[in-house]
Amino acid sequence: HVQLVESGGGSVQAEGSLRLSCAASGYFSKRCMAWFRQTPGKGREGVAAISSGGRYEYYVDSVMGRFTISQDTKNTMYLQMNALIPQDTAMYYCAVDYKGAKEDIESSWDVPRLYNYWGQGTQVTVS
């Protein structure tokens, strides 16, 4: 049984920072773990992903240079978000157990249907 518990969301002013955490338990593939976000009426957008052992990181262009994804040795994944802007306002979800091929991660890390497990979401509001 895989459980993902997210925390760290909140309300901040523009140019502020937040750090999201995703504590994972249970057995799952660590080939690729990711953060997604979603606003009402829109599909989930891939924000960042990290490959097994933290070897590679992937980011959507709009957060490049502002967000950093990381993981520790205890199955916790983080998303450090700096220089936040109102367009970053969304519900943020962590996702694990990527079921795509390893060689396809670079091109498909941001495809929601390729992840088996999702957190409950944490709201980020930037004003």
Side-chain angles (χ1 to χ4, degrees):
H1 175 68
V2 176
Q3 186 174 17
L4 304 177
V5 179
E6 297 150 345
S7 60
S11 297
V12 294
Q13 292 187 335
E15 294 303 311
S17 298
L18 284 173
R19 188 192 195 203
L20 305 184
S21 299
C22 173
S25 60
Y27 180 79
F28 57 91
S29 169
K30 298 179 180 61
R31 177 179 298 170
C32 181
M33 301 188 293
W35 288 95
F36 286 77
R37 63 188 178 187
Q38 187 172 23
T39 55
K42 294 188 176 181
R44 290 189 181 183
E45 175 190 42
V47 177
I50 189 165
S51 65
S52 178
R55 184 173 184 181
Y56 298 108
E57 299 171 17
Y58 308 93
Y59 299 93
V60 67
D61 287 348
S62 61
V63 307
M64 194 80 70
R66 300 188 298 120
F67 291 11
T68 303
I69 190 171
S70 63
Q71 63 184 80
D72 65 16
T73 57
K74 297 183 178 180
N75 287 347
T76 300
M77 180 171 63
Y78 304 95
L79 185 67
Q80 177 67 43
M81 305 186 295
N82 297 328
L84 284 159
I85 58 178
Q87 292 86 344
D88 295 320
T89 295
M91 185 72 79
Y92 283 71
Y93 299 89
C94 60
V96 303
D97 204 40
Y98 172 83
K99 57 184 177 179
K102 182 178 180 180
E103 58 268 24
D104 294 334
I105 290 176
E106 185 173 6
S107 61
S108 62
W109 65 269
D110 56 349
V111 178
R113 63 178 173 81
L114 293 180
Y115 295 85
N116 283 320
Y117 300 104
W118 294 80
Q120 81 285 357
T122 185
Q123 178 68 37
V124 172
T125 303
V126 184
S127 59

